[in-house]
Amino acid sequence: MRGLVIALLLLCLPWTARAQETVFYKCTDAKGNVSMQNGAPCAAGMKQEVRRIGAVRTVPVPVKKAKAEAPPPEPKQYGDFVLVSGPNSQRAPAPEAAGLPAPPPLYQCANWKGDTYYGETATPAPSCVPLQVTGLDGSSALGVASACEVKQDSCTAVPDEQLCAAWYRRLDEADFKLRYADDGDRRGRQAAFDAVDAKIKASRCSTTAPAPPAVP
């Protein structure tokens, strides 16, 4: 009887469901190296993108409502990740560019580690992932042999209605890499930025009005 009373009392107590979620951080350093972290934000100076999964709705405890304030602007969304720091330019096609051709196709790809990127080919060159090789005596000392496993990235075409946003994203990333380039790789990164910028300006994604044709 006593146990029944305790059980009834427990049922009468307020219960609050707490959200349990997993947070992944996608970090890109100044050299373009990408890493994934779980639960720990990216280091200062790195571009950081966040993906939250597994969220469970919470049952909030009733509290006195404060004076309503304007909500902060939502972060810019790129696919499954939200860009919370790093380059995040707000761009939109110029109305005068509507008559220009569509931009070249882009593909959203994922490598064997789960890192995602945009590319201009649906079949990028495969990667050769090193494998650990042991000798007949079980030793894994360097110089015994080398081997690797060929990994192919998986790519999906970006829909036409999202092409401009994808190309702007590529330009943002090229600009980010250029800003932190050293003397050894500045020329190559400048060329990469100029190539992306030229393709945008030659398409309906151009943010500026196209130059009028030259009069002979």
Side-chain angles (χ1 to χ4, degrees), residues 120 167-168 170-172 174 191-201:
E120 298 184 45
W167 275 104
Y168 298 155
R170 289 201 80 193
L171 190 65
D172 284 341
F193 175 87
D194 292 342
V196 174
D197 187 49
K199 291 177 181 179
I200 292 176
K201 289 181 178 178

Side-chain angles (χ1 to χ4, degrees), residues 3-95:
L4 179 60
V5 173
I6 293 175
L8 291 174
L9 289 174
L10 290 175
L11 290 174
C12 295
L13 292 176
W15 177 80
T16 302
R18 300 182 63 85
Q20 301 292 331
E21 65 177 5
T22 302
V23 182
F24 288 97
Y25 296 88
K26 181 180 179 182
C27 308
T28 306
D29 63 18
K31 293 185 177 295
N33 299 315
V34 178
S35 60
M36 300 288 292
Q37 299 177 185
N38 179 10
C42 303
M46 300 183 73
K47 183 179 68 177
Q48 174 175 293
E49 298 172 68
V50 176
R51 182 183 182 186
R52 292 179 171 86
I53 61 173
V56 180
R57 289 184 176 271
T58 61
V59 181
V61 178
V63 294
K64 184 179 179 180
K65 293 184 177 181
K67 185 179 178 180
E69 297 181 358
E74 295 184 359
K76 196 169 184 179
Q77 183 81 28
Y78 289 117
D80 294 334
F81 288 89
V82 177
L83 184 62
V84 296
S85 65
N88 187 5
S89 302
Q90 299 292 334
R91 295 186 177 90

Side-chain angles (χ1 to χ4, degrees), residues 172-195:
D172 284 341
E173 292 178 344
D175 178 62
F176 176 76
K177 293 179 181 179
L178 179 59
R179 289 184 184 184
Y180 295 96
D182 54 32
D183 294 339
D185 54 16
R186 182 174 301 277
R187 179 177 297 180
R189 294 189 180 188
Q190 182 68 61
F193 175 87
D194 292 342

